């Protein structure tokens, strides 16, 4: 009996694992040529002011148009790119493409909006990062003040001294920095103070149940107090309804991002979105 149960358990757990492993392998194989085949595409999601709902910036979000599977979400392929190191060239492509797009929008007469680009830990510690950024800024002619890099709390805390140096170099180019997914990792408050970071993005895990969870309300209040004393701006992620927005506003949160305002859209949809009356 024990043996039979053991076998059942084995089958129960092993089969989904094998399916996941097979998918991982399949994606990995295809990802290797995805950049050359031009299968990556950038989506953009507005970041708005909580008081007036006006668009204050756009977050750049990577998508992969898989030839058979259609649009693949970043959570399914970015961990693979980080694992095999391809995040470095792909991440550089993201920065370049976003800068080119910003310049195209400006030439078309759209307001010059700040663009927030996600940077993974692996990119962040890569030796060639600063040179790549300088080359992209030179080639595209973008005002570095329009660029912002989002780095997760965990990535920031990983590499002490070198991180501080890279952050300083980015900051001295006039590029802004923000801490992504704030509250999900472990930040040292002493470190936060030393980083030239002016913005915190509250993870959507704390926004989701904001209406009903007094714990989440307390966390948001604590983040607002911390940000206030460190003179950092705060963006709330994943705002999906008016009740959440009202609570965030009341807590003093100045910026928000979420399906309530707009989903991430492709570049062609942005001009209409900016002209939409609020
Ligand atoms: P993130 O940087 O925290 O980006 C916000 C994520 O929340 C996006 O998921 C966005 O589509 C989603 N989101 C926005 N508003 C709402 C909402 O109201 N409700 C819900 N449920 N979700 C919302 P997405 O685009 O799937 O990206 C997932 C993560 O992948 C990003 O999280 C970021 O960590 C990573 N990522 C995306 N693009 C890049 C990139 O170019 N480079 C790197 N290194 N990472 C990227
Ligand atoms: Mg982000
Ligand atoms: Mg985030
Ligand atoms: Mg995230």
């Amino acid at each position: 009996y024990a043996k039979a149960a053991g076998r059942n358990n084995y089958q129960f757990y092993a089969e989904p694992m094998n399916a996941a492993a097979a998918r991982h392998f399949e994606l990995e194989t295809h990802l290797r040529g995805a950049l050359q085949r031009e299968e990556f595409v950038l989506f953009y999601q507005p970041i708005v002011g909580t008081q007036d709902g006006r668009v204050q910036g756009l977050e750049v979000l990577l998508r992969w148009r898989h030839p058979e599977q259609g649009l693949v979400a970043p959570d399914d392929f970015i961990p693979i790119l980080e694992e095999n190191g391809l995040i470095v060239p792909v991440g550089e492509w993201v920065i370049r493409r976003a800068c080119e797009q910003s310049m195209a929008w400006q030439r078309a007469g759209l307001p010059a909006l700040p663009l927030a680009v996600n940077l993974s830990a692996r990119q962040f510690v890569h030796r060639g990062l600063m040179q790549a950024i300088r080359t992209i800024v030179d080639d595209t002619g973008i005002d570095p003040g329009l660029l912002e890099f989002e780095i997760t709390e965990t990535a920031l805390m990983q590499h002490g001294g070198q991180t501080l140096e890279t952050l300083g170099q980015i900051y001295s180019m006039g590029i802004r920095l923000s801490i992504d997914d704030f509250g999900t990792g472990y930040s040292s408050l002493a470190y936060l103070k030393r980083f030239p970071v002016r913005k915190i993005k509250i993870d959507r895990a704390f926004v989701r149940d904001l209406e009903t969870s007094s714990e989440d309300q307390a966390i948001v209040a604590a983040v607002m107090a911390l940000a206030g004393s460190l003179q950092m701006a705060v963006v709330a992620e994943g705002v999906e309804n008016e009740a959440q927005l009202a609570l965030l506003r009341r807590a003093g949160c100045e910026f928000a991002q979420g399906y309530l305002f707009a989903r991430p859209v492709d570049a062609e949809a942005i001009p209409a979105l900016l002209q939409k009356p609020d």
Side-chain angles (χ1 to χ4, degrees):
Y1 176 78
K3 203 175 170 189
R7 248 180 82 192
N8 282 339
N9 280 340
Y10 176 78
Q11 286 180 340
F12 182 77
Y13 289 109
E15 276 178 10
M17 290 279 282
N18 285 339
R23 177 168 160 80
H24 185 290
F25 181 77
E26 198 274 335
L27 290 180
E28 225 277 85
T29 308
H30 275 77
L31 271 171
R32 296 204 166 266
L35 196 57
Q36 284 70 27
R37 292 191 303 268
E38 301 184 24
E39 290 170 358
F40 290 114
V41 57
L42 297 185
F43 273 39
Y44 301 84
Q45 186 182 32
I47 297 166
V48 308
T50 53
Q51 291 304 328
D52 55 12
R54 289 170 66 110
V55 179
Q56 302 292 338
L58 300 170
E59 180 169 5
V60 179
L61 294 161
L62 182 60
R63 300 288 183 266
W64 177 27
R65 287 194 200 282
H66 189 287
E68 290 110 42
Q69 300 184 18
L71 221 53
V72 184
D75 288 335
D76 288 345
F77 70 87
I78 286 180
I80 304 176
L81 294 178
E82 284 170 346
E83 220 173 86
N84 64 19
L86 282 173
I87 192 65
V88 170
V90 173
E92 265 180 50
W93 177 87
V94 171
I95 302 171
R96 178 174 292 274
R97 189 71 209 95
C99 291
E100 288 169 353
Q101 185 60 67
S102 170
M103 295 308 282
W105 279 329
Q106 290 175 60
R107 281 193 300 273
L110 265 73
L113 283 172
L115 288 184
V117 177
N118 293 284
L119 229 54
S120 75
R122 182 107 185 226
Q123 276 177 281
F124 195 64
V125 297
H126 186 254
R127 294 268 162 214
L129 176 69
M130 288 315 299
Q131 191 48 54
I133 296 171
R134 288 195 192 95
T135 305
I136 292 168
V137 167
D138 284 350
D139 288 353
T140 61
I142 193 163
D143 171 1
L146 290 177
L147 273 182
E148 180 172 302
F149 290 135
E150 297 190 357
I151 305 157
T152 63
E153 207 180 351
T154 316
L156 276 182
M157 294 304 143
Q158 260 167 26
H159 310 274
Q162 204 206 319
T163 298
L164 204 54
E165 195 185 313
T166 308
L167 287 174
Q169 287 175 338
I170 293 173
Y171 184 76
S172 62
M173 283 187 72
I175 296 172
R176 293 181 280 182
L177 293 156
S178 62
I179 303 180
D180 207 351
D181 303 348
F182 191 77
T184 59
Y186 297 92
S187 287
S188 147
L189 294 183
Y191 256 156
L192 271 191
K193 192 182 67 181
R194 291 165 60 200
F195 289 143
V197 172
R198 292 280 79 93
K199 194 183 282 174
I200 288 175
K201 299 188 79 174
I202 301 183
D203 195 76
R204 71 168 183 271
F206 306 107
V207 174
R208 191 172 42 226
D209 303 319
L210 202 54
E211 296 159 78
T212 51
S213 162
S214 55
E215 286 90 350
D216 288 342
Q217 289 170 18
I219 290 167
V220 167
V223 172
M224 292 311 307
L226 172 69
S229 59
L230 296 176
Q231 284 152 312
M232 289 175 160
V234 178
V235 183
E237 301 189 288
V239 180
E240 296 185 354
N241 60 55
E242 292 287 350
Q244 293 164 338
L245 176 61
L247 283 163
L248 288 162
R249 238 189 234 135
R250 205 173 312 151
C253 180
E254 209 181 340
F255 304 103
Q257 180 180 352
Y259 298 168
L260 175 63
F261 310 102
R263 289 187 178 253
V265 293
D266 64 14
E268 288 75 61
I270 287 295
L273 218 146
L274 294 182
Q275 273 139 33
K276 192 176 77 179
D278 34 28

